[in-house]
Amino acid sequence: MVFKYTPAPMGGSSSNGNLVEFDHVKKAFGANVVLDDINLDIRNGEAIVIAGPSGSGKSTMLRCINGLETIDSGDLRFDGRSVAKAGKGIYQLRANMGMVFQSFNLFPHKTVLDNITLGPTEVKGLSEQEAKERATSLLERVGIPEKADSYPADLSGGQQQRVAIARALAMEPKLMLFDEPTSALDPEMIREVLDVMRDLAKSGMTMVVVTHEMGFAREVCDRIVFIDEGKIVEEGPPDEFFTNAQSQRAKDFVDKILHH
Amino acid sequence: MGEFWEVFQRHLPEFRSGFYITCRLVAMSFVIAMGVGTIIAAFRVAPARALQRIGTVYVEFFRNIPLLVLIFIFFFGFPEVFNIGPWVAGTLALGLYTSAYIAETLRSGVFAVGKGQIDASLSLGFTYRQTLQKVVLPQSFRTVIPPLGNLIIAMIKNSAILGASALAIPDLLKTGRITAALTANAHASFFWAALGYLILTVTATFIVRHLEKRLAIRR
């Protein structure tokens, strides 16, 4: 096990413009190696799509970034600080990155508004009033201001996912992680969620998106990272990836996805 | 029918006071049971092994000793060591006994809360404690309201054991016994005592049903 640790410069942000750095990251569940020596730098303001067959380790990569999964060896830095060695500091790191889940995971016992204000008031110490104003403007931004007092169960899947995005944004994160955000949605609702994500990318948010929506990848993201069996097989701009993939595995994947 | 009514009229002040005392016993035990039960449930699901063990030992201890024995321990055993009166001894015995069941019920409610809820909560930067307090326990409570209601009703009925044992607490049952001795009319005396318990348990049932409707999580 090799630990390379560069202390963060005071004030957080890493000096080299990278917001996330995977540094020889390894992760196994028992005998099953899910991440096998992953090296990847994600720059500030970049939108990245992680693609690959199911079970290839995409979601695990995301969950390692905010410490929902721990890594076995190597190092993983967010904003210049090691996630792996954060200890109790992990809570503060997580507060600075938002995560959106496949199954939305809204809090069913709270209204839409309370779902969004809970994090800012509990973790960031905002007053109820400030948090409410922020939540209201975020609901405008994701296009459902009229749902503030509804409960999650009364919303469609697409609306729920937009609330989940608003909930994550309310923490004013530096990074947004999307774990298959449209996979549980009916086709007609996928667009409304992707539209919100597209606007977010345009606004300069750093995003890491695990998705099978290759149209979105092609149009919105700066770079596609293709992983298979826990390894990064290929990475590059989407146009190159789709028209001129270098590896056979990536070619097969593109072929299957574009001609299914 | 006449004699029933006569007993009631003549001993109304005693029955009223017995009813009131049972209410107080139940209220105090309820506060102890819910408070301690919630804390023990939190222990049982805490990431720290030591806390889990404390929770397990607590539950197994209080769940596996007959309530009457607990009452005797608290009433006859403890005053030799601590300076506690019959009220504290009685409500502690009933409250702690019930809290073990409440802890187990809440714990099952915690496991009914999806892992996704915990992921979402942690991803907002919540600590485990905040996650438990703000996200998991409020949902667990709502899921287990019906079984909690059963436990509360059982506790109301169990409170009669306090009156039946040697405690100097003139609750509803004890009032029934005294009245029966005074009037030599056991069936009327205990009928009115039973009615008092019925009023309490039926009221509790309605409150639980109301809470269940009001707090239901729509999924």
Side-chain angles (χ1 to χ4, degrees):
Chain A
M1 279 205 295
V2 184
F3 285 112
K4 279 195 297 180
Y5 180 52
T6 327
M10 293 306 286
S13 223
S14 75
S15 49
N16 54 10
N18 290 337
L19 190 58
V20 179
E21 294 170 334
F22 282 78
D23 187 356
H24 296 286
V25 169
K26 283 189 185 174
K27 165 84 183 167
F29 292 114
N32 180 22
V33 179
V34 252
L35 298 180
D36 191 0
D37 198 27
I38 297 280
N39 289 287
L40 178 69
D41 292 340
I42 299 166
R43 304 182 66 79
N44 244 316
E46 205 177 16
I48 284 196
V49 161
I50 301 177
S54 51
S56 56
K58 309 183 294 281
S59 289
T60 307
M61 255 180 99
L62 275 196
R63 293 171 63 85
C64 284
I65 295 177
N66 70 356
L68 285 183
E69 301 287 354
T70 54
I71 62 173
D72 296 339
S73 69
D75 197 12
L76 208 170
R77 287 178 292 275
F78 167 71
D79 207 12
R81 290 165 62 192
S82 170
V83 174
K85 299 180 205 66
K88 295 217 180 238
I90 190 70
Y91 302 115
Q92 202 199 333
L93 292 184
R94 283 187 191 134
N96 289 319
M97 35 186 153
M99 185 157 189
V100 175
F101 302 87
Q102 179 177 353
S103 47
F104 328 133
N105 295 347
L106 292 177
F107 305 132
H109 61 302
K110 294 198 171 287
T111 63
V112 164
L113 196 78
D114 290 344
N115 261 279
I116 304 174
T117 57
L118 190 64
T121 51
E122 285 296 318
V123 179
K124 298 246 157 152
L126 256 65
S127 71
E128 287 289 337
Q129 190 53 38
E130 288 169 312
K132 203 175 157 181
E133 279 163 20
R134 188 183 286 182
T136 309
S137 79
L138 280 167
L139 280 175
E140 299 265 356
R141 184 165 165 190
V142 299
I144 36 174
E146 74 281 5
K147 296 292 184 190
D149 297 321
S150 304
Y151 280 86
D154 299 328
L155 271 54
S156 72
Q159 290 170 333
Q160 287 193 50
Q161 196 58 300
R162 285 187 280 160
V163 172
I165 294 173
R167 175 175 70 179
L169 289 176
M171 299 296 285
E172 301 194 319
K174 294 179 176 173
L175 170 71
M176 283 288 283
L177 308 169
F178 291 88
D179 191 2
E180 304 205 23
T182 57
S183 299
L185 294 176
D186 293 337
E188 68 265 30
M189 288 166 189
I190 291 178
R191 172 158 292 279
E192 65 190 48
V193 171
L194 291 181
D195 283 346
V196 170
M197 291 168 62
R198 183 180 296 115
D199 289 346
L200 199 56
K202 275 191 193 137
S203 76
M205 175 65 76
T206 313
M207 293 165 57
V208 186
V209 184
V210 171
T211 185
H212 297 293
E213 292 294 328
M214 289 302 130
F216 173 84
R218 197 163 202 167
E219 187 195 341
V220 177
C221 81
D222 301 303
R223 188 151 54 114
I224 289 190
V225 175
F226 177 73
I227 71 172
D228 191 17
E229 290 173 358
K231 288 191 170 72
I232 295 181
V233 178
E234 197 159 332
E235 57 176 297
D239 277 341
E240 222 164 275
F241 179 78
F242 284 114
T243 54
N244 192 21
Q246 298 303 301
S247 65
Q248 192 56 43
R249 269 185 290 180
K251 271 182 193 153
D252 291 346
F253 179 79
V254 168
D255 213 45
K256 259 185 223 155
I257 282 236
L258 296 185
H259 305 109
H260 64 276
Chain B
M1 268 323 274
E3 52 182 330
F4 273 74
W5 195 239
E6 210 183 292
V7 168
F8 181 70
Q9 276 181 324
R10 199 175 322 140
H11 294 278
L12 179 60
E14 290 94 320
F15 277 117
R16 200 193 285 138
S17 135
F19 182 76
Y20 174 66
I21 284 174
T22 291
C23 285
R24 262 180 62 192
L25 276 178
V26 165
M28 285 167 67
S29 309
F30 174 75
V31 171
I32 295 169
M34 286 303 282
V36 176
T38 306
I39 293 167
I40 295 300
F43 276 24
R44 293 270 279 165
V45 299
R49 279 280 161 80
L51 290 181
Q52 287 178 18
R53 269 195 210 120
I54 294 172
T56 310
V57 169
Y58 179 94
V59 167
E60 294 309 335
F61 182 83
F62 281 101
R63 209 170 47 161
N64 293 319
I65 295 179
L67 176 56
L68 192 56
V69 176
L70 273 180
I71 291 170
F72 282 0
I73 292 174
F74 275 79
F75 187 64
F76 297 116
F78 276 20
E80 292 169 2
V81 192
F82 313 105
N83 183 24
I84 56 172
W87 270 90
V88 178
T91 49
L92 266 183
L94 183 58
L96 296 184
Y97 174 81
T98 310
S99 74
Y101 289 90
I102 287 185
E104 279 305 271
T105 306
L106 272 178
R107 189 174 71 105
S108 70
V110 166
F111 289 124
V113 176
K115 194 181 172 300
Q117 291 290 310
I118 297 166
D119 281 349
S121 171
L122 289 177
S123 79
L124 289 172
F126 284 13
T127 60
Y128 275 104
R129 199 194 147 133
Q130 284 172 315
T131 301
L132 207 56
Q133 258 179 17
K134 299 289 167 181
V135 176
V136 177
L137 279 178
Q139 290 184 55
S140 319
F141 263 117
R142 286 163 165 80
T143 358
V144 299
I145 286 173
L148 277 184
N150 291 340
L151 291 178
I152 303 306
I153 287 163
M155 191 185 71
I156 294 172
K157 295 188 291 179
N158 281 340
S159 79
I161 299 181
L162 292 173
S165 45
L167 306 196
I169 300 175
D171 73 342
L172 205 43
L173 179 62
K174 192 133 192 173
T175 307
R177 283 167 74 193
I178 294 168
T179 313
L182 286 176
T183 59
N185 190 340
H187 54 281
S189 301
F190 289 122
F191 170 81
W192 294 115
L195 192 69
Y197 285 106
L198 209 55
I199 289 170
L200 275 180
T201 48
V202 170
T203 310
T205 308
F206 275 112
I207 293 174
V208 168
R209 215 171 278 165
H210 174 74
L211 279 179
E212 199 186 329
K213 260 191 216 144
R214 222 180 63 110
L215 295 176
I217 298 171
R218 278 175 289 170
R219 293 181 196 276

